[in-house]
Amino acid sequence: MTDLNKPSRRQFLKVGGAALVALPIIAMSGNALAAKNESVRAALQYQTSPKDGKQCSTCQNYQAATKGCTLYPGDTEIVPTGYCSGYIAKK
Ligand code: SF4
């Protein structure tokens, strides 16, 4: 095997450096994907705490897998303990 086929120390450092730069960007992009539908939140008086024992986790509209709600298009930050006027108890 010739030295031409072996990755050089310089190449190794370039790849490692690029990975170190990419990690925070990847981590931040996860947060960038989270979104709130502020107009629907206001219209339905969304709150992050339960009301009279009613909360998102017991509501038919809650989408636990995506942290969403069928009444809130694009919103990915609906918390299980939240509540709004669109609440419908699960059967
Ligand atoms: S309708 Fe309201 S209470 Fe029900 S899951 Fe959606 S945000 Fe929560």
Side-chain angles (χ1 to χ4, degrees), residues 46 55-56 59 61-62 68-72 78 82-88:
Y46 175 80
Q55 62 182 42
C56 295
C59 176
N61 297 317
Y62 188 54
C69 170
T70 57
L71 302 182
Y72 292 68
I78 303 295
Y83 169 82
C84 82
S85 61
Y87 179 88
I88 300 173

Side-chain angles (χ1 to χ4, degrees), residues 6-68:
K6 291 184 358 187
S8 69
R9 182 170 182 257
R10 181 173 297 208
Q11 287 172 318
F12 179 78
L13 291 174
K14 276 185 182 177
V15 172
L20 285 175
V21 169
L23 281 175
I25 293 170
I26 292 168
M28 286 190 311
S29 68
N31 289 338
L33 294 176
K36 295 179 181 175
N37 188 330
E38 296 291 358
S39 59
V40 177
R41 284 179 178 228
L44 298 181
Q45 300 171 324
Y46 175 80
Q47 61 189 52
T48 55
S49 57
K51 182 176 182 181
D52 301 329
K54 300 173 184 171
Q55 62 182 42
C56 295
S57 64
T58 61
C59 176
Q60 283 186 17
N61 297 317
Y62 188 54
Q63 310 285 304
T66 57
K67 296 181 185 171

